[in-house]
Amino acid sequence: MYQIKTFNKIAPAGLERLDPERYTVGSDVAGEDGILVRSADLLGYQFPDSLLAIARAGAGVNNIPLDRCSQKGIAVFSTPGANANAVKELVLCAMLISSRDVPGAIRWVRNQVEAGVDVASVVEKGKAAFVGPELYRKTLGVIGLGAIGALVANIALSLGMDVYGYDPFLSVDAALRLDRHVHVVKDVNELYRRADYITPHIHYNEKTRHMIDARAFAAMKPGVRLINLARGGVVDDEALLAALDAGQVTAYVTDFPTNALTVHPHVIALPHLGASTPESEQNCAVMAAEELRDYLENGNIRNSVNLPDVSLDRSGVMRLCIVHKNVPAMLASITALLGRDGVNVENLSNKSKGDYAYTLVDLSSAVGENVVEDLRALPNVIRVRCLA
């Protein structure tokens, strides 16, 4: 039985992917083999030695200590694309409400009623304060052209917008998802110079922290509207507030409110609604559970943020799953040790990601515990699992 500890409420559709004959699942599970989590903070959580993998039902993983997981050979999964449609729709909403100041207009109407005014008699005069531009024939800049960014770019084209995209790490698969009419630029400053609306869709890390800062605002088209449904730290809040006060930025829609931002008259703050749809929560839960199950049962890695993706159809009678450092001659050391004991390798796959690597080895015969212990004793090997 695999022990799976849940943090937060995981959609039932995801939990149903874990066969109760093979999995014990719950928030009170101890000595867990796997963790299913959404937004719960695991940064200070003490992982048991038994923990093999963490699956995050969502895209961001800043609530998980990736370095510590990598050092312990714990695979961390995310669910890229599972919430993409939900975020795409909220981006459209954000562009519209920032253009027409829909929240301000709603407040104004309610204020008239609360003041005892016949609202129907004042709307024609009052609406002038909320005039704003249409999206049609405006330019949208999309920073990050992954699963979400590509959907946003494509649907903006269907609204009659001109779309510029920037992604220095654009993959072939992502490029194929993009409509050919999206202008992909190599310099983000070209996007800043052209865009009437800008929306980042990038992961938050040390490289992207405060990516949109005072220098970026200075490069932007005056009066730009900025939408941030990615992560709060991608934008330098102090520089943003200065840009809003100066009129360089007309409106800022954020899914990551702070007290300082929320009180500004040109900020529309949302309570982290990006993926808050039942469809998104279900998609994320299903994807996370399937990633976790495939890793525990077959050793396959798909959509890991700290280890390379390695997937191999099962063959032979035993599979070795080896997490190790990405250093020279590791593969030779592993195969030499197996060859020493006369073990035939039927199939093998090895890939690396940064400082770490992962090797799957299918064997034509079972090996004894002594061989496994010798593998574990190899320098730079972090974790070894045997799957029959």
Side-chain angles (χ1 to χ4, degrees):
M1 291 288 290
Y2 291 108
Q3 306 297 312
I4 308 299
K5 189 177 183 68
T6 58
F7 291 77
N8 311 116
K9 183 179 179 182
I10 306 298
L15 300 181
E16 289 169 2
R17 301 302 172 106
L18 302 176
D19 183 355
E21 295 289 328
R22 304 193 67 181
Y23 292 87
T24 300
V25 183
S27 59
D28 57 348
V29 166
E32 61 268 24
D33 302 292
I35 287 176
L36 280 171
V37 63
R38 289 171 59 195
S39 58
D41 186 351
L42 299 184
L43 297 178
Y45 183 67
Q46 295 302 307
F47 299 133
D49 292 339
S50 58
L51 183 62
L52 299 170
I54 300 171
R56 158 82 162 98
V61 290
N62 55 318
N63 59 325
I64 300 170
L66 296 184
D67 287 346
R68 186 153 58 96
C69 289
S70 299
Q71 292 163 8
K72 290 178 172 290
I74 299 169
V76 179
F77 299 94
S78 67
T79 56
N83 63 0
N85 190 71
V87 178
K88 174 203 74 177
E89 291 185 2
L90 195 61
V91 171
L92 293 181
C93 173
M95 287 197 291
L96 290 167
I97 63 178
S98 66
S99 287
R100 311 288 286 274
D101 190 13
V102 175
I106 293 171
R107 286 194 301 270
W108 180 84
V109 170
R110 287 179 176 168
N111 289 341
Q112 305 311 304
V113 175
E114 291 170 358
V117 176
D118 177 11
V119 69
S121 67
V122 296
V123 290
E124 289 303 317
K125 182 178 179 180
K127 71 181 183 182
F130 308 104
V131 172
E134 298 177 9
L135 303 184
Y136 182 61
R137 291 190 174 177
K138 301 303 184 300
T139 299
L140 172 66
V142 183
I143 301 173
L145 296 169
I148 298 172
L151 285 182
V152 170
N154 291 347
I155 199 167
L157 288 172
S158 69
L159 296 175
M161 301 185 79
D162 199 16
V163 181
Y164 281 75
Y166 170 76
D167 191 333
F169 307 107
L170 184 63
S171 68
V172 173
D173 288 343
L176 291 173
R177 288 195 296 264
L178 279 178
D179 188 288
R180 63 185 178 87
H181 295 98
V182 175
H183 308 286
V184 179
V185 297
K186 295 182 179 179
D187 184 354
V188 72
N189 288 301
E190 183 178 352
L191 181 151
Y192 289 152
R193 180 170 58 85
R194 295 175 179 273
D196 301 295
Y197 303 80
I198 295 174
T199 176
H201 296 287
I202 53 180
H203 290 294
Y204 175 69
N205 52 45
E206 283 304 312
K207 292 182 179 179
T208 61
R209 181 179 181 272
H210 291 180
M211 174 184 176
I212 303 178
D213 57 8
R215 182 178 298 180
F217 289 122
M220 291 178 189
K221 189 174 182 178
V224 68
R225 289 168 167 83
L226 177 63
I227 295 143
N228 180 13
L229 306 184
R231 279 293 180 267
V234 169
V235 177
D236 182 338
D237 286 353
E238 289 188 13
L240 167 71
L241 291 170
L244 286 166
D245 290 338
Q248 180 70 5
V249 177
T250 296
Y252 178 55
V253 183
T254 179
D255 218 10
F256 310 97
T258 66
N259 289 1
L261 289 175
T262 303
V263 297
H264 196 285
H266 298 299
V267 171
I268 301 170
L270 307 173
H272 205 176
L273 296 179
S276 295
T277 68
E279 296 89 348
S280 172
E281 291 180 6
Q282 177 172 305
N283 292 341
C284 288
V286 168
M287 190 171 179
E290 289 180 344
E291 291 166 349
L292 185 62
R293 184 184 66 190
D294 198 19
Y295 181 66
L296 294 178
E297 295 182 10
N298 300 307
N300 291 327
I301 295 181
R302 294 176 294 124
N303 300 317
S304 174
V305 296
N306 66 329
L307 296 177
D309 283 3
V310 181
S311 186
L312 195 64
D313 289 338
R314 293 287 290 268
S315 61
V317 299
M318 176 175 279
R319 168 166 286 189
L320 299 177
C321 312
I322 307 169
V323 181
H324 55 88
K325 293 285 187 68
N326 181 22
V327 295
M330 278 303 306
L331 197 55
S333 298
I334 292 168
T335 54
L337 192 153
L338 294 172
R340 180 202 70 187
D341 285 65
V343 179
N344 184 51
V345 175
E346 191 158 307
N347 209 348
L348 181 150
S349 184
N350 166 270
K351 290 184 181 178
S352 62
K353 186 173 189 174
D355 294 333
Y356 297 91
Y358 185 62
T359 300
L360 283 180
V361 187
D362 283 343
L363 306 176
S364 58
S365 59
V367 297
E369 185 61 27
N370 62 314
V371 175
V372 177
E373 288 305 317
D374 287 346
L375 284 169
R376 289 181 176 135
L378 286 174
N380 298 303
V381 166
I382 299 170
R383 183 165 229 154
V384 180
R385 283 199 298 146
C386 293
L387 301 175

